Amino acid sequence: MSPKPADLDDFGRFTEPAVLILVSVAEGPRHGYAISQDIERLTGHKPGPGTLYGAIARLESRGFLEALEPEGKRTDYQLTADGARALKARLRAMETVSRVGQARLAST
Amino acid sequence: MKWVLSLYPPGWQRRFRAEMEQHLQESGARGWRTRLDLLAGAIDAWANQDLIPASSAAITGGTIMEFIRCGACHQEISRADSLRSAAWMIGLSLAQVIPLVVLDKVYGNSAFIQAGLYAAFFVALIVSSRGTYLRPYTPLARNLITVGGILLSYAFFLGVVLLGELI
C-alpha cells in the first residue's frame, strides 16, 4: 500500500472545506458545529453538514486532525503536527498564487 | 431530517451520527440545500468507507442490507446466525433460480422470468437477513421490509429488462 500523501492535493471537492477546517482548529480544538460557525464568520458561507463531516473524515483519516474524547454528543477536533505542516504548505501556495494574481492584475 | 443520516454507511453512523444529529439540532438547518448536501455526503461516504477506521466500521457482512436501515448497527451477529443466514441465502437463491431457468427454457425470453432471475439474489438476501440484520425490528416492520424489498427488487429489474427491450 502506498503511503498517504502529506498534503491536501487529493481531497477533490473537499479541499477548500478541509483547508478552512484546519484554519479553524489552528486556533484551538473545536467541535463540528463550532467549526462550521467559525468558517461562516471567516468566509460568509456555512458548509453543509455532509460536506463538513466528509472533510473531517478525510482529515482525520490522513492524520491531520485528531478527535478528542467525546463530551456527550460533541467531539472536539484538534490540529496535529502533520495537519499544521499541510496547512502551512497550502497557505504558502495560496499566498504565492494571491501575490502573483494581484501583481498581474495591477499591471493590466 | 435525521432520516437522511440513516442513508450513511453503518460505520460512518457509528462514528459521526451523534455529532451530526447534534450539529443539525444546533444549526436548525432544515432546507433542501442541507438535505441535498447530506445526500451527497451519504453517497460519498458509501464510496469512501475506508475513511472510517475499521474499529468503527466493523460489522459482519451484508452491506446492501445495511443500506436499507441501520437498525442493526449496534447488533452483534453470532456465528450461528451468520451460518443460518448463509444457508437461507444459498438455498433460497437455488430454489428460485433453478425453476426460473427451467421456465426460461420453456417459455423463451420472457421479461418477467428474466426479472425474477435478476431479483433472485436480492430476494434471497432480504429473506436471509430476517434472522440477522432485520431482527431488531418489530414483526410488522420486518414483514413490511421483506415484502416491500422483494416487490421493489422485482419491479426494479422488471423495469430494467423492459427498458432494455425497448432500447
Side-chain angles (χ1 to χ4, degrees), chain A residues 14 18 21 31-32 35 51-61 65 77, chain B residues 15-16 19:
Chain A
F14 292 96
I21 290 167
H31 56 79
I35 291 171
T51 303
L52 183 77
Y53 284 94
I56 286 176
R58 282 168 170 77
L59 288 168
E60 202 185 358
S61 78
L65 209 59
Y77 295 93
Chain B
R15 174 64 186 82
F16 288 115
E19 273 183 79

Side-chain angles (χ1 to χ4, degrees), chain B residues 39-55:
Chain B
L39 278 174
I43 294 167
D44 172 71
W46 277 98
N48 296 285
Q49 293 191 59
D50 56 328
L51 289 175
I52 305 297
S55 56

Side-chain angles (χ1 to χ4, degrees), chain A residues 4 13-14 31-33 36 45-54 56-58 60-61 67 73-75 77, chain B residues 2 8 12 15-16 18-27 29 33-34 37-38 40-41 44 48 50-52:
Chain A
K4 291 179 175 176
R13 74 179 181 93
F14 292 96
H31 56 79
Y33 182 53
S36 167
H45 299 287
K46 196 186 281 188
T51 303
L52 183 77
Y53 284 94
I56 286 176
R58 282 168 170 77
E60 202 185 358
S61 78
K73 283 185 164 186
R74 284 178 166 167
T75 302
Y77 295 93
Chain B
K2 287 179 183 174
Y8 278 77
W12 183 284
R15 174 64 186 82
F16 288 115
E19 273 183 79
M20 291 175 87
E21 280 182 2
Q22 181 75 14
H23 183 124
L24 289 171
Q25 194 180 326
E26 287 182 275
S27 67
R33 201 171 160 185
T34 304
D37 180 69
L38 285 169
D44 172 71
N48 296 285
D50 56 328
L51 289 175
I52 305 297

Side-chain angles (χ1 to χ4, degrees), chain B residues 13-87:
Chain B
Q13 292 193 45
R14 268 190 294 279
R15 174 64 186 82
F16 288 115
R17 180 165 184 145
E19 273 183 79
M20 291 175 87
E21 280 182 2
Q22 181 75 14
H23 183 124
L24 289 171
Q25 194 180 326
E26 287 182 275
S27 67
R30 293 283 179 273
W32 281 105
R33 201 171 160 185
T34 304
R35 283 193 183 93
L36 285 176
D37 180 69
L38 285 169
L39 278 174
I43 294 167
D44 172 71
W46 277 98
N48 296 285
Q49 293 191 59
D50 56 328
L51 289 175
I52 305 297
S55 56
S56 301
I59 190 162
T60 321
T63 53
I64 294 171
M65 278 313 299
E66 286 156 26
F67 182 79
I68 291 176
R69 173 70 172 84
C70 194
C73 282
H74 304 283
Q75 188 194 6
E76 292 296 328
I77 309 289
S78 69
R79 186 171 164 74
D81 285 339
S82 295
L83 288 174
R84 202 173 299 121
S85 176

